[in-house]
Amino acid sequence: MKRDSRLSGVLHVLLHMAEQDGPVTSEVLAKAMDTNPVVVRRVMAGLREQGLVRSEKGHGGGWTIARPLDGITLRDIYDALGGPSLLAMGHRTEAPGCLVEQAVNAALGRAFHDAEGLLLARFGEVTLAMLSADFHARMTARPLGRKEIDHG
Amino acid sequence: MKRDSRLSGVLHVLLHMAEQDGPVTSEVLAKAMDTNPVVVRRVMAGLREQGLVRSEKGHGGGWTIARPLDGITLRDIYDALGGPSLLAMGHRTEAPGCLVEQAVNAALGRAFHDAEGLLLARFGEVTLAMLSADFHARMTARPLGRKEIDHG
DNA sequence: GATCATGTACTATTTGAAGTTACATGAAGC
DNA sequence: GCTTCATGTAACTTCAAATAGTACATGATC
């Protein structure tokens, strides 16, 4: 099962943006994430629709965070990505006629549902400000050169 | 993201086996799961190695459950499948040098770890006997013809 | 109007499960 | 002992979903 790393990636990008004053271009962000600018724009498009970030064209354009960091939770970002599936496992048949399969689905479904709920609740508790604070704490503990901050 | 349905599938098969007296062939199980006999054998091979099921060749051969139903938990079966990944999301980089990414991984990692723990704990609490009992309760509530029991 | 940056449609690549084919191994029945 | 039935397993193909990448349009600034 291939794991979706968009949430991880977009958080990386947002924290890098938070360290910059002005707008940051897709190209710079792509370089920091070791990917393609189009991939960045595609992911960021969802965040823009939810009002989490802004984009501007032309000279001096790029991406900026639209709200205070403590006003954005991981849940907001997850939702802006379209709420991708959290679990790697699922039912073989979604609405089976077979009673055996219904019993299986019921048992697994409860576990799956609760695990998803746990994850979403956690996401809702964590803000970008907390992540940023954690980052700065790590910076203080082990300062790095500028290059390693821009990308590691 | 494509979801892994092997756990769901193998549970379906095991409960069908539990309803039969003698051994059941891969071909019959495959028909019930609407798949290929080789796929069944592949999945069952893992369970056999863990001593959950037995297989016999030749006339009258096939698969049988090797332990009492209340002695097999979903966790046992999950492990026998090789412990496939439970979550559809993961870190972009597993051991990043970038402090930003370290902060991101730390926050997400805690949530992921706890969600996986919850799922595994649930799996450990549920036995095949419980699923079988649930199935029979559904049977009583809405009896079906033989054909619909063999497969739905 | 030249340049820079986003917006997006379209295509290619990748990845892992699932499905399939083919054949070897071994057990029961005659 | 030979036929039949069933598993064991390797190798290959198919399939679906996501990411990556290309090409070009749109719009803003200099």
Side-chain angles (χ1 to χ4, degrees), chain A residues 10-21 24 29 32-33 65 135 147-152, chain B residues 98-101:
Chain A
V10 77
L11 287 175
H12 189 174
V13 156
L14 287 171
L15 288 190
H16 272 291
M17 283 167 63
E19 298 299 310
Q20 305 292 326
D21 280 347
V24 190
L29 294 176
M33 279 187 57
I65 300 181
F135 160 61
K147 200 173 171 199
E148 280 172 287
I149 297 170
D150 282 347
H151 176 230
Chain B
C98 176
L99 291 181
V100 166
E101 188 127 23

Side-chain angles (χ1 to χ4, degrees), chain B:
Chain B
M1 179 83 15
K2 194 172 183 179
R3 289 183 159 190
D4 184 347
S5 64
R6 278 180 301 163
L7 181 59
S8 167
V10 77
L11 287 175
H12 188 173
V13 156
L14 287 171
L15 288 190
H16 272 291
M17 283 167 62
E19 298 299 310
Q20 305 292 327
D21 280 347
V24 190
T25 67
S26 305
E27 195 175 346
V28 168
L29 293 177
K31 210 156 278 174
M33 280 187 57
D34 195 32
T35 181
N36 194 286
V38 176
V39 175
V40 172
R41 286 185 209 129
R42 204 146 44 198
V43 175
M44 298 293 278
L47 304 207
R48 185 186 50 228
E49 281 166 22
Q50 299 302 313
L52 302 180
V53 299
R54 261 192 297 268
S55 65
E56 278 172 307
K57 295 180 176 178
H59 278 278
W63 300 89
T64 45
I65 300 181
R67 302 213 303 235
L69 291 190
D70 62 4
I72 301 180
T73 68
L74 301 200
R75 176 65 192 270
D76 295 328
I77 298 165
Y78 167 79
D79 288 340
L81 291 176
S85 68
L86 294 166
L87 300 181
M89 315 191 85
H91 299 324
R92 206 176 55 84
T93 306
E94 212 50 52
C98 176
L99 291 181
V100 166
E101 188 127 23
Q102 284 180 20
V104 170
N105 280 7
L108 289 180
R110 272 191 297 276
F112 290 161
H113 179 266
D114 290 353
E116 284 187 331
L118 174 69
L119 275 175
L120 291 180
R122 288 296 186 83
F123 287 172
E125 290 166 3
V126 181
T127 66
L128 280 187
M130 293 181 199
L131 290 189
S132 180
D134 185 19
F135 160 61
H136 283 111
R138 289 169 194 266
M139 275 280 281
T140 306
R142 187 167 71 83
L144 293 173
R146 186 85 199 133
K147 199 171 168 202
E148 281 173 285
I149 297 170
D150 282 348
H151 177 231

